[in-house]
Amino acid sequence: MSSSRLFAVHLGIFSTEDDAGRVREACTRWLEPLGLSHELSLIGPEERTPAGELTLAERYEELPDQWRAQYGEPAPASHDIRELRLRLRCSPDVLEDVWERLTRTLCPDPEHASPCPIPWSGGWRGEVEADTDGR
């Protein structure tokens, strides 16, 4: 059995504010019944990455290009880069399942011709936790 760790998942999307909200709601619907300790947030385009070194536009600079490739024109002004951030405590095996569910929320058919209707990019990392037992 794998031990539980704290993970930070990030998923950049290029969409309208309403579409981003629907993605967040869909993730909440399948995530909450899993009973995992988690925090899910949707970060707006004006935010920076957690370490502050990049803007979301810099981190996900390829997403508007994915839109142009899909639709053959620049995106409407209503589209912008947003980031879904998920912190959760689980085993690495459970994280793989969560990642699969998360990406299928945006791309239900992984065999479709690229790019996706809502361009996305993301990843995850394990987080180091502070020792809290006083040693």
Side-chain angles (χ1 to χ4, degrees):
M1 175 187 244
S2 298
S3 63
S4 179
R5 292 180 51 202
L6 185 61
F7 293 98
V9 178
H10 62 91
L11 190 71
I13 59 176
F14 186 67
S15 70
T16 65
E17 187 173 352
D18 288 344
D19 284 343
R22 282 190 282 279
V23 168
R24 184 181 190 276
E25 289 170 14
C27 290
T28 298
R29 279 194 301 276
W30 61 256
L31 186 60
E32 287 186 352
L34 297 178
L36 301 171
S37 175
H38 72 278
E39 296 173 21
L40 179 66
S41 57
L42 181 63
I43 307 304
E46 69 284 351
E47 297 292 327
R48 297 183 76 78
T49 58
E53 72 278 4
L54 298 172
T55 66
L56 293 185
E58 291 167 333
R59 177 182 246 180
Y60 302 108
E61 66 185 358
E62 78 281 3
L63 297 182
D65 292 336
Q66 286 183 25
W67 172 275
R68 276 190 288 286
Q70 175 76 15
Y71 299 102
E73 60 188 49
S78 60
H79 283 64
D80 214 332
I81 295 172
R82 293 166 174 81
E83 186 175 63
L84 192 67
R85 292 181 182 168
L86 173 62
R87 288 175 44 102
L88 72 159
R89 179 172 298 287
C90 63
S91 70
D93 292 340
V94 170
L95 177 67
E96 287 181 29
D97 181 54
V98 167
W99 178 252
E100 181 73 18
R101 288 179 186 222
L102 184 59
T103 59
R104 292 301 153 251
T105 300
L106 283 167
C107 183
D109 178 12
E111 301 302 320
H112 74 88
S114 288
C116 293
I118 294 179
W120 64 275
S121 177
W124 57 268
R125 70 183 188 330
E127 294 195 342
V128 177
E129 297 180 72
D131 181 9
T132 58
D133 68 359
R135 285 188 272 164

